[in-house]
Amino acid sequence: LEKELVGKSAAFRQAVEKVSFDSIRESIPEDSVLIDYLEYAGKGGQSLLASVIRREGDPLLIDLGSSVKAGEAIDTWRKSFGASPEAREAGQKLRQQLWEPLSDHIEGAELILVSTDGLLGRLPLAALPGAKLGTYLIEDHHLAMLPVPMLLPSIMKERKRQQTGKLLVMGDVNYDSAALTSGEDAAKSSTTKLAASNTRGDLTWPALSETGREVDFIRDLYRKTRDVDEDSVIELRADAATEAAFHSAAPECQLLHLATHGFFAAADKKNAMSPSVIAESRGATERSGMLGDQRDVVAGFSPGQLSGLVFAGANRSPEPTEPLSTTKPADDGIMTADEIAYLPLAGVEMAVLSACETGLGEVAGGEGLIGIQRAFQVSGVDSVVATMWKVDDTMTRKLMERFYRNLLEKKMSKLDALRDAQLWVLNNPSLVSESDDD
């Protein structure tokens, strides 16, 4: 069937075409460098290395030592996100292990593209200590995250998009809503939902009170700066912020702003594609279970089932559905990364995921940033903005307001608009923490 499709469909040929190293290197912008981190199971245990690739010249491969050592430092850093003395010391250790061995090889680069792997997906490199005491890496460099290097050619390729001018905003979601959708409109396989229900456990999500004001601001600013009519902004709020509504509306929009929680499976739900899980179950190099050899047993879940976004009704227990049923799938309030990846979002220029840990990904298997962000880019979205840790509701709203002013009023690039907003929050903590009523 694939052979027949390749012969008849240019889109399918492009989808299955293998991405070469040369095509990745040629896609790196001038005056830029690509850093590709890799976690792997070596003879001495879990290890890290980094490839440093420029548009010209040979790539460099740099050994970064033990991933266990880095993982311990990341755990310490994340306890207070660099605020405590222990976390600051852990941050310095991470800089010494992950960044300083590369610093001589990235000198002069105006833009640094970074692709993380495994446990490094839990660490926002921009928050590491900078070259000067008391500074951060984001103050020294322009950093852009890349889910996987193989996506770079398609991301950099100019696409002819249908300019709909539409914005979708979602916020003030009612996670306790009983108004879940069932039936064909949900457009989901019950087998996918069954797998998701096995990973969610007893998780519940609290209301995000500031997200209503956040989406109000973005909606009003968008209408003002783009001079569009009311129909150009689609709002999903409260009970209406369902998976089915998003599935129906998102493909016709250019911008998506989703102020909601991220879903991440508990630490005991292992990622079947994780190098450590493969090493534990079959040995460091044995992957025959992934290739259809039924003599081996898959020892974990699909990584795309271990993270996702939270919609209305997620706090209610999902109703059981008949296996393999496509006529009565249940809307359980969780859209997994697998489901996101299959959405037809080739017309979307940017998706902003503004809430708690929406970029983190599955912790146990170490998919990290590759989880939800990669899913959106696989679905066709050009750029994804996502938070990397639990964030203050008011602070997030103010950062997003600054970001959208930069983007829509000042016409800054997406990367510069976000970096300026982050630096503003960093340098003005008192202004950001003040309420609008003060």
Side-chain angles (χ1 to χ4, degrees):
L1 286 174
E2 286 190 1
K3 185 176 180 180
E4 185 178 348
L5 283 169
V6 166
K8 294 182 177 180
S9 170
F12 189 83
R13 284 197 298 274
Q14 184 179 5
V16 299
E17 183 180 359
K18 301 226 180 256
V19 179
S20 68
F21 171 75
D22 286 340
S23 66
I24 293 173
R25 182 166 57 182
E26 291 166 3
S27 299
I28 299 173
E30 297 287 351
D31 301 320
S32 300
V33 63
L34 168 62
I35 299 174
D36 182 21
Y37 288 97
L38 174 69
E39 181 183 6
Y40 67 100
K43 292 183 179 179
Q46 292 298 111
S47 303
L48 291 167
L49 56 81
S51 300
V52 180
I53 307 166
R54 289 183 180 267
R55 194 180 180 97
E56 304 291 340
D58 295 328
L60 299 171
L61 201 61
I62 301 171
D63 181 9
L64 299 178
S66 169
S67 68
V68 175
K69 176 182 174 183
E72 292 171 350
I74 291 172
D75 289 339
T76 302
W77 184 88
R78 286 190 65 88
K79 288 178 181 178
S80 67
F81 306 112
S84 68
E86 296 81 9
R88 285 194 290 272
E89 181 181 355
Q92 287 292 345
K93 290 180 179 178
L94 288 167
R95 177 184 170 88
Q96 291 168 8
Q97 180 179 0
L98 304 176
W99 194 259
E100 290 185 356
L102 316 179
S103 58
D104 289 343
H105 308 295
I106 62 176
E107 189 174 353
E110 294 183 5
L111 172 65
I112 301 174
L113 300 166
V114 181
S115 178
T116 59
D117 185 43
L119 56 84
L120 297 186
R122 302 177 57 221
L123 176 70
L125 289 174
L128 286 181
K132 296 181 181 179
L133 185 65
T135 65
Y136 297 87
L137 203 60
I138 190 175
E139 298 177 80
D140 299 334
H141 302 285
H142 286 72
L143 301 168
M145 305 305 299
L146 187 66
V148 285
M150 287 188 298
L151 283 176
L152 184 60
S154 64
I155 290 172
M156 298 303 296
K157 185 178 180 180
E158 297 230 355
R159 306 185 209 176
K160 293 183 179 179
R161 296 181 181 273
Q162 183 180 359
Q163 299 295 313
T164 65
K166 288 189 176 183
L167 163 72
L168 182 149
V169 289
M170 185 176 84
D172 196 21
V173 178
N174 182 6
Y175 302 111
D176 298 316
S177 172
L180 291 181
T181 303
S182 62
E184 294 183 357
D185 288 342
K188 298 178 180 68
S189 163
S190 62
T191 54
T192 301
K193 286 306 182 187
L194 180 62
S197 67
N198 288 336
T199 61
R200 67 183 294 172
D202 297 324
L203 292 172
T204 58
W205 292 271
L208 296 169
S209 59
E210 289 290 321
T211 59
R213 299 172 69 182
E214 181 178 318
V215 298
D216 284 345
F217 174 87
I218 295 166
R219 175 202 62 202
D220 294 343
L221 182 66
Y222 187 80
R223 286 175 177 164
K224 174 185 174 184
T225 56
R226 293 292 183 93
D227 191 26
V228 294
D229 57 36
E230 293 188 3
D231 292 338
S232 293
V233 179
I234 300 171
E235 297 184 61
L236 302 181
R237 296 172 177 265
D239 293 355
T242 64
E243 291 180 81
F246 177 78
H247 190 283
S248 174
E252 63 182 80
C253 296
Q254 284 184 250
L255 297 176
L256 307 176
H257 183 91
L258 309 178
T260 187
H261 291 287
F263 154 68
F264 304 101
D268 63 334
K269 311 301 182 189
K270 300 297 183 181
N271 170 12
M273 299 298 290
S274 167
S276 60
V277 171
I278 293 171
E280 289 170 5
S281 60
R282 303 185 194 89
T285 61
E286 179 57 68
R287 284 178 175 265
S288 59
M290 304 303 167
L291 301 176
D293 188 338
Q294 296 185 12
R295 293 174 298 173
D296 293 314
V297 177
V298 175
F301 291 87
S302 162
Q305 294 294 322
L306 297 173
S307 62
L309 294 177
V310 185
F311 288 78
N315 286 343
R316 296 175 61 85
S317 298
E319 297 180 4
T321 59
E322 293 296 327
L324 302 180
S325 168
T326 57
T327 58
K328 195 181 178 182
D331 183 340
D332 65 351
I334 302 291
M335 182 174 286
T336 67
D338 275 347
E339 294 175 282
I340 293 168
Y342 280 97
L343 291 174
L345 302 181
V348 178
E349 292 181 4
M350 180 176 67
V352 179
L353 316 177
S354 165
C356 293
E357 296 186 322
T358 48
L360 180 60
E362 189 267 312
V363 175
E367 279 303 299
L369 204 63
I370 295 177
I372 301 173
Q373 287 183 302
R374 177 203 236 175
F376 270 102
Q377 290 190 297
V378 167
S379 73
V381 177
D382 265 353
S383 302
V384 183
V385 178
T387 54
M388 284 294 294
W389 56 72
K390 291 181 179 178
V391 287
D392 176 80
D393 212 6
T394 301
M395 187 175 293
T396 301
R397 175 173 61 84
K398 293 192 174 185
L399 181 138
M400 285 297 158
E401 289 175 0
R402 178 89 176 192
F403 168 63
Y404 277 100
R405 281 198 182 102
N406 289 340
L407 187 69
L408 299 176
E409 290 184 338
K410 298 182 180 180
K411 310 298 183 185
M412 296 170 68
S413 70
K414 292 188 280 288
L415 180 61
D416 288 338
L418 180 61
R419 183 171 183 264
D420 174 85
Q422 291 171 315
L423 291 174
W424 178 76
V425 169
L426 180 66
N427 295 320
N428 297 278
S430 60
L431 291 177
V432 175
S433 62
E434 293 175 358
S435 71
D436 293 334
D437 298 327
D438 290 342

